[in-house]
Amino acid sequence: IWSGLKMDLDPVTHINFFTENSFSNLFLANGFEILEKKQGISNYGDSYLEVVWLVAKPALTSNPSLLQADTKRMLYPSRLSSIIKSFRLLIEPSLRKILGM
């Protein structure tokens, strides 16, 4: 929970925490073909979170090729990716409001 969503104040049981690859692997391992996926920023109340959207359909083949685990990259980001993520989560949403986007 990179952006610090306070689970003690809001135990959001309908939200699960995946990386882009772990979310994709969930579908691939269960017989789905991924048609489209996107990672971006979305709001949950006053908090902005990094989210992954995915569109899938039942796969025609039964031999999925799973994606490489990306959990360590998310837990231990480089300084540059931390700066970029901070900008996207903290500054960009405010700029969008100011600019009316």
Side-chain angles (χ1 to χ4, degrees):
I1 307 172
W2 199 87
S3 70
L5 185 64
K6 293 176 178 47
M7 296 302 286
D8 57 331
L9 299 176
D10 189 5
V12 287
T13 56
H14 64 281
I15 293 178
N16 295 286
F17 297 94
F18 292 96
T19 66
E20 185 174 355
N21 285 357
S22 69
F23 192 53
S24 299
N25 284 338
L26 177 69
F27 285 83
L28 293 171
N30 286 285
F32 288 86
E33 174 187 346
I34 297 171
L35 302 175
E36 182 180 348
K37 66 180 175 177
K38 178 182 173 186
Q39 186 169 341
I41 303 297
S42 185
N43 67 314
Y44 181 77
D46 292 335
S47 297
Y48 284 87
L49 305 170
E50 192 167 15
V51 296
V52 176
W53 294 269
L54 189 138
V55 178
K57 71 174 186 174
L60 299 176
T61 62
S62 61
N63 264 346
S65 295
L66 298 182
L67 302 172
Q68 182 179 1
D70 57 354
T71 307
K72 278 192 177 181
R73 179 181 57 81
M74 299 293 287
L75 289 174
Y76 307 106
S78 69
R79 287 187 184 179
L80 178 59
S81 66
S82 293
I83 291 168
I84 291 169
K85 189 175 285 189
S86 294
F87 175 81
R88 291 181 70 207
L89 290 170
L90 303 172
I91 297 169
E92 189 176 297
S94 299
L95 289 175
R96 288 181 182 268
K97 283 182 185 177
I98 291 169
L99 299 173
M101 298 171 70

